Amino acid sequence: MKKIIYVLSLTLLASVFFGCDVLEPSQDAEPISDAAANYPTPTFTLTSSANLSALNEGDENVLVWDVTVDKPIDRNLNFSWVVLGGTATLHEDYDLVNATIPAYETTGQLMIMIHNDSAVEGAETLQLTVESGPSLASKYLVNPSSSYPTASLTINNFESDDLEMSFDWEKGIDFAGSTYGTCANIDLDIFVSNAAGFDINDPWATFNGTNYAATGDCPETFDWIMSDWGDGDYVIWHEVWSNGFAGLGTNTLVPITASISRAGVFSTTVVQADVQAMNSDNGGEADDLPVDTHGVIAQVSVANGIYTISDYNGNVVATGKTNTAKTKRPSIDKVERAIKTLH
């Protein structure tokens, strides 16, 4: 009798386990409708007049695609950029902004932001497309037959017409068991003279006041604006305005290092020759300083739109042609956007 009950019990258990279908979990989100026509369908419109195959780093382009769906739904829709290839570097040359269309709304925006870059480099490329999602929660919420845009960008090197100049003379001078910085204790001013007839013993005779740096800062800086100067040969020189080391017997040369760059073309440094550098023992105030408190730093020649930078001895350290098609880099808030349909 016990055996019969045991067999019946096993039979009942088997019917429970094997009489039911096993449910398999699904990773895919449920579509909002079985009919594809009921899915929202996105369209993408480029709202910029920029030529994608001839962008320029200096223009700080912001490329915007308006994303519009033909019907709202009760969940957010996300659209993301996918990089397919190219030589441009994310976060250095460009950044991407994905689009979110909030629930019950029908519009959003995708963006590509081209960064202002003054590095000396060749043209860079970038190829992208767009996908829905990419999260599973929103990937399958749009019409599976939707078309997505692709973008092929060429980002050309920015070349400035102007020179950026910086003049630094920081070094440590030991005195009475301590080290003192020259920037904090020596004030140098930077001036430019026409090279024709220039004499370091009387540099003011050919002084050109178009640009100079006499602010009391270290380093001193100024921008050489091509449109203000034009062709010619020029000498950059210093004058000692004050020297806190005068009379202390430190007897140390304090050469100036000039950093000169033309964005996108060249960047160079010129270290002032020792024979032109000031000595820490010289004078105290400008009116009392001897004539040797002036010294040549570098020379600049401009001919037919070509810069040539030379040191005191005439050694060429950099040269580069100007780009007369542009002057200053425009600000990002001045980028104009015109409506253009993406093909």
Side-chain angles (χ1 to χ4, degrees), residues 39-42 44 67 69 76-82 98-99 101 110 129-149:
Y39 288 48
T41 300
F44 303 84
V67 186
V69 291
N76 290 349
L77 292 173
N78 298 311
F79 299 91
S80 303
W81 288 108
V82 178
N98 296 326
I101 299 178
L110 290 157
T129 189
V130 177
E131 67 177 4
S132 62
S135 70
L136 291 176
S138 61
K139 188 175 183 67
Y140 300 112
L141 296 178
V142 298
N143 190 328
S145 299
S146 299
S147 297
Y148 296 95

Side-chain angles (χ1 to χ4, degrees), residues 11 35 81 157 171 181 306 333:
T11 302
W81 288 108
N157 189 41
K171 69 184 301 182
I306 299 176
D333 60 4

Side-chain angles (χ1 to χ4, degrees), residues 81-86 90 94 96 126-129:
W81 288 108
V82 178
V83 177
L84 301 176
L90 182 65
Y94 69 95
L96 302 174
L126 179 63
Q127 295 86 42
L128 310 99
T129 189

Side-chain angles (χ1 to χ4, degrees), residues 64-335:
V64 179
W65 278 259
D66 283 343
V67 186
T68 305
V69 291
D70 58 350
K71 57 177 65 69
I73 63 172
D74 61 356
R75 281 166 280 185
N76 290 349
L77 292 173
N78 298 311
F79 299 91
S80 303
W81 288 108
V82 178
V83 177
L84 301 176
T87 58
T89 302
L90 182 65
H91 305 316
E92 292 182 10
D93 300 307
Y94 69 95
D95 268 300
L96 302 174
V97 178
N98 296 326
T100 295
I101 299 178
Y104 304 107
E105 297 187 18
T106 58
T107 59
Q109 285 188 326
L110 290 157
M111 295 185 188
I112 304 174
M113 297 182 292
I114 307 301
H115 294 321
N116 191 329
D117 183 353
S118 61
V120 181
E121 58 192 1
E124 296 162 311
T125 59
L126 179 63
Q127 295 86 42
L128 310 99
T129 189
V130 177
E131 67 177 4
S132 62
S135 70
L136 291 176
S138 61
K139 188 175 183 67
Y140 300 112
L141 296 178
V142 298
N143 190 328
S145 299
S146 299
S147 297
Y148 296 95
T150 59
S152 182
L153 281 58
T154 299
I155 308 169
N156 294 312
N157 189 41
F158 171 74
E159 297 180 358
S160 173
D161 280 347
D162 308 324
L163 299 179
E164 296 177 0
M165 297 187 172
S166 176
F167 304 88
D168 193 356
W169 55 92
E170 177 63 6
K171 69 184 301 182
I173 294 181
D174 295 331
F175 176 73
S178 297
T179 301
Y180 299 88
T182 50
C183 274
N185 293 282
I186 297 174
D187 184 5
L188 302 179
D189 296 330
I190 311 300
F191 300 101
V192 181
S193 290
N194 298 322
F198 177 79
D199 182 354
I200 192 58
N201 294 312
D202 185 16
W204 294 106
T206 58
F207 170 65
N208 187 319
T210 303
N211 290 109
Y212 58 89
T215 65
D217 293 337
C218 178
E220 289 278 12
T221 63
F222 69 81
D223 291 340
W224 184 294
I225 308 302
M226 167 58 66
S227 58
D228 294 340
W229 286 88
D231 288 2
D233 299 320
Y234 308 95
V235 178
I236 303 174
W237 51 278
H238 83 263
E239 179 177 80
V240 181
W241 178 254
S242 65
N243 176 17
F245 294 101
L248 299 181
T250 52
N251 190 29
T252 302
L253 291 178
V254 185
I256 296 170
T257 297
S259 299
I260 304 174
S261 64
R262 179 193 164 202
V265 181
F266 64 75
S267 180
T268 190
T269 58
V270 180
V271 179
Q272 189 176 31
D274 285 350
V275 295
Q276 295 295 306
M278 72 162 288
N279 189 295
S280 61
D281 281 345
N282 282 351
E285 296 296 331
D287 292 341
D288 302 324
L289 295 174
V291 293
D292 62 358
T293 55
H294 300 127
V296 173
I297 303 169
Q299 303 176 68
V300 177
S301 295
V302 186
N304 297 320
I306 299 176
Y307 285 111
T308 301
I309 312 299
S310 305
D311 63 13
Y312 167 72
N313 295 308
N315 299 311
V316 175
V317 296
T319 187
K321 190 178 189 306
T322 63
N323 180 355
T324 56
K326 300 185 293 294
T327 53
K328 293 184 178 180
R329 286 172 255 178
S331 173
I332 196 167
D333 60 4
K334 294 183 179 179
V335 176

